[in-house]
Amino acid sequence: MAMPGFLQQLRDVMYPPSRKQAILGLFQDAESAATAGDALKDAGVPDTDYDFLTDSPYPEGSLGEREEKHRLYLYPFIGALLGLSSGIMITAMTQVAYPLVTGGKPVLSLPPMAIVCYEGTMLGAILFTVIGIVFESRLPKFQLGLYDDRITQGFLGLRVNAEPEQRYEVIQIMNSAGAVEVKTDQ
Amino acid sequence: MASETQAHPPAADHGHDAHEHGHFGPEMWVIPEAPGLVAEVNEKQNAPSGIFRMVLLAGAALTILGIVGFVLKAITAGFSDHRAWGFYVAAFAFVFTLTASAPLAACAFRFTKSHWRRPLSRIAEIFSLVSIVNILLFIPALIALPDIGVATESGELMVRRSIWFQELVNPSGWLLAGMIGLSFCSVAILWLAALPDMAQSRHLVSGFRASLYGRLAGGWYGTKRQWQVQKGGLAILGALYFMMVVFVQFLVVSDFAMAMIPGWKDSILPPFYTVISFQGGLATILLVAYAMRRWGGYRDLIGQAPFWAASKVLLGLTLLHTYHLFAFFITYWYGRLEVEQAILNYLMFDSYIGIFWAQLFFTFFIPFPILVSNHARREGWGAPLAAIFIVIGLLLWHIRIFAAAFAAAPAVEGGLYYLPSDAFSFPALLLPVPGATFPDLWDIFMILGGVGIVLLVFRIGMMLLPPLSLWEMKEGSMYQRVDTLIRGRYLVLAKPE
């Protein structure tokens, strides 16, 4: 399907074109996939250039994969801080602008202000967490790349972004490790 | 195609040998095989059993009845007298109570890494869709809520007790923002949890679902990073949802119940309401799961273990509910101020005495012995049976608290409800104690409509999304196995975290 120009431009910004080629090896069991991963590492393929694709989360490190770091935990803090600031500003500025003594309470009465501030904090944290999930998961992709539906049936995928000169070697490694099929994007 | 279980005796062996399964029946632990699970659930979704069609029809019929009741109530009573809307608010609060806490069950049991929760997770999360309906149901309740302050003919400002800052009008903006935030958070949890399942099912579905899955799960490959962000996101959103749901429950019960009864100041009521909501949410999830297992064709995917484990949590919540009820009573009985005695008489021992005792029977005296019975818990039917009584009891609780609160609040300014803004040193009293209010036909229609809309939206949710958390069940099948220990067969668990 043709992608609109704007979307194509956005995609190019988010995922700059690379000369690397995608290769997907499909494995029936986790052991073979892990063996292929180890062999790729031994062959000098950087561990940032390959990913295991699974239908459920495998225990940390069980496939010998790299440790992934993300900054999702920062997003709710930023959102909460912005929400709290908005809550304080709305309540304080409203009361200062329109001073009204209710039931003998001070004009800037903290308990009722706390309710609005808490609500602002929560709303900000929730909104920013969702934004963080979208960004950190690299989710806004407009086209499904190299994939195989058998991964949904328990097969494991090993997707490698290989330099053109490494292409043949990577395919060989996957086949030797017991790949059921090896696909490329060429 | 998924077999019945992994390392599991065939169906013919059921009850054949007590040693075969230790003390547990063969259906206690059902561990589906991961390959083929997506296709199997999709197949069940495409060919639903009769009960699901019945639920859809009943939900649609009751929703129409509720809409008719609402329209006729609005025409006949208008929104100027809030007392006419007490039963509507009770119906809304009942729906909100049951459905708002349901997604929390998925988050909480995921936090604790319980394996038995896996078949219940998606059921709990689909209730997030009802939270969108909660926003719509909330709007008429907000319109019916009386303003906080009024000006008399002489120009004097009269206000009622309120938790809000400097607001004289109905605080609906803040209330609605809270409800929308809660709904947004729960839908985000549903989306994030269902993301891998939608991605895995997209090649099996067609039409609207294919388009929906493509849009919502586009770009999901199941890379390590994506799984980690999903796990972290669910943990953070779950924590925020807990903080938000408790807050919105506090607002609803404070503004729509406590603030409506002159002189009612109660620090126990908000946590009491939260406990009730947790109890109702879990009861509702167990009812749905039982219906799916018993009549919906999911027996080979949902075992007895989730009911067995969840029944203990339900027992704890039932005891907590009763403890809070007692604490509410004993505090006021001990205080013995005139207003406290009036509130006790109004809500418990005089005006609403019948509904109070009926509710107590449904929420405690009947479910407690069922949940205490080890046999009933283990066989899997104990918790759902108790849940039916609990849900009925909670409907009565909401009528007793919310409908009674709206009926007690005076409709006119002045008197003991609205006070001069500097007169809050005087207590507002509920004297004389008003009598009970009974629903009219439109109120009954609206209450039925509240139940109907939950059934309808939930059923539509089950049609749109995989009704079981496929990735979690696959993950579970990696970590669980039924194996032999001496002469019995038991569940062996891996705990990688």
Side-chain angles (χ1 to χ4, degrees), chain B residues 64-83:
Chain B
I64 292 168
L65 207 62
I67 293 169
V68 169
F70 175 79
V71 171
L72 290 172
K73 188 78 175 183
I75 291 169
T76 55
F79 280 93
S80 54
D81 185 354
H82 60 263
R83 289 176 300 180

Side-chain angles (χ1 to χ4, degrees), chain B residues 280-292:
Chain B
L282 184 58
T284 313
I285 292 166
L286 291 175
L287 276 177
V288 175
Y290 187 77
M292 284 174 69

Side-chain angles (χ1 to χ4, degrees), chain A residues 28-106:
Chain A
Q28 203 159 7
D29 60 277
E31 185 57 46
S32 312
T35 305
D38 291 343
L40 286 173
K41 210 179 292 176
D42 293 343
V45 177
D47 62 2
T48 48
D49 277 354
Y50 61 89
D51 258 323
F52 291 95
L53 311 183
T54 59
D55 63 342
S56 62
Y58 277 65
E60 301 273 322
S62 60
L63 299 171
E65 75 281 12
R66 68 178 181 274
E67 200 183 327
E68 279 284 0
K69 289 204 170 107
H70 60 82
R71 292 182 181 153
L72 182 62
Y73 298 96
L74 281 178
Y75 288 82
F77 284 109
I78 296 166
L81 214 59
L82 289 174
L84 175 65
S85 314
S86 309
I88 291 172
M89 282 205 306
I90 291 169
T91 49
M93 287 163 72
T94 310
Q95 292 179 103
V96 170
Y98 302 98
L100 180 67
V101 177
T102 309
K105 290 183 283 191

